Amino acid sequence: MEFSIKQGSPEKLKSGCVVVGVFDGGKLSKAAQVLDKAAKHALSDLIARGDMKGKSASTLLLHKLAGVAAERVLLVGLGKVSELNNKTSLEILNATFKALNATQAKDAALYILDEGVGKDGGWVVKQAVFSASGQAFRADGMKSKPSKPAALKSITFATLDKPAAALKVALDQAAATASGMELTKTLANLPGNICTPTYLAARALALGKAHKSIKTTVLDEKAMQKLGMGSLLSVTRGSEQPAKLITLEYSGTAKTQKPIVLVGKGITFDTGGISLKPGADMDEMKYDMSGAASVLGTLQAIAEMGLKINVVGVIPTCENMPSGKATKPGDIVTSMSGQTIEILNTDAEGRLILCDALTYSKKFNPDTVIDIATLTGACVIALGHVASGMFANEDKLARELLAAGEQSHDRVWQLPLWEDYQPLLDSNFADMANIGGRAGGTITAACFLARFTKDYRWAHLDIAGTANVSGKEKGATGRPVPLLTQYLINRTATK
Ligand code: BES
Ligand code: MN
Ligand code: ZN
């Protein structure tokens, strides 16, 4: 999908559809007033008849208005000015693209920036791009008859006055972020029989091929053995598919700048292993590589932006399967850090692959390390599907992630990493157990990871509730690519 910003008068713009707002009670927005005049008061007439009341997120499609160059006019209700906030703005944007997608218009010009639909122009542009590309996304590529691609191919954010230069920057960032989200969704939606660790490695290598600024390397099990990754390798023991450790190094600025390392959980299917999961909805455990997919999507986004920052993606990836060779409850393994782990539940496997990847990450001399993982069902219970769980061993980093979440509308909520939780991981036989019991399951999982991240600034994102939706709308969301890219953009700006 193409996006652009353009100044122009709404009646003159040649396009498949021109979109203008109507406030509650039928008050025309500035652009709508210009159109109304050009169309001999066709808009005020239909409002007087009561066909459009300006109710928030309502829409009315008109064809071939005399005096208007565009083929169609879409009126969009903006509601009461006093009630315009992030939530209502998003509803308005989603309704707008839903109405546009119900037509065959190939392009559209949206006059929404002059009207304060949302906090600021940059925010509106970003969310509009996410909404438009989200609706254009198709997840049915593996059906024998996939649905038709969206007709709408090009969107212009039109303004009456000269648009601020910052809008163009926001637009380019949004478009790159949206294409990163698309990659993340595509990969996460793939079934486990296609999206194996080897497949993920191939996609990471392809990303390195497509972008000069990205260098990809892939370690096999032998190399991981040499590095002493006994914890990661214990998870893959039951699988026929070989595990991989993928590294993507994005160089956007001088080598002297320490990188931000993103570590993504890449369990391409989580059966639970010998601690087998119940059958219901187990298919959704194909999404257990969503952290990995978000790292690939974020790297693609920042490479497309040419962001002046250094970022390393680290992806530990394998399957968690039961078999005669699989790791058993009670088995004790030695992690790359030297710490030993008693595996009391083979279904708590995410932390086992992450801990070795986190120890490995030290070699990049990181400025900050952020891991992203569909780590605990308990996080879904705690925060639902709205916010991702967030932990950090530094308050400033936590605040930066909270802020980036608000800015991108890909929100996180902080949970505590207090020492008081650490004894829950005590083991009689090893340095620690891999589970801490039912109480505070999201926190004890983070506390486990904290034992491997003492040497650098670190945050952990638990995306179990936000990476995908279940039910009729089952599918990947592309989160937290908007959050991560926004955080990286912000880190570039403060340098
Ligand atoms: N991948 C799951 C977590 C998960 C659950 C993600 C539901 C998305 C939806 C993880 O590997 C897991 O199985 N965690 C266990 C941990 C427990 C054994 C301590 C869980 O949450 O039940
Ligand atoms: Mn599991
Ligand atoms: Zn898992």
Side-chain angles (χ1 to χ4, degrees), residues 79-91:
K80 292 194 174 83
V81 178
S82 62
E83 284 169 12
L84 270 174
N85 55 37
N86 287 354
K87 187 169 164 288
T88 53
S89 302
L90 290 173
E91 285 163 2

Side-chain angles (χ1 to χ4, degrees), residues 265 270 277 285 288 345 347 349 351 374-377 435 464:
K265 173 178 174 182
D270 181 12
K277 284 183 182 297
M285 283 302 126
D288 217 17
N345 189 320
D347 197 12
E349 85 297 340
R351 61 199 80 180
T374 46
L375 203 64
T376 64
I435 52 168

Side-chain angles (χ1 to χ4, degrees), residues 153-170:
K153 291 277 184 292
S154 164
I155 288 160
T156 303
F157 296 99
T159 57
L160 299 171
D161 306 322
K162 194 172 183 315
L167 281 182
K168 175 81 176 97
V169 177

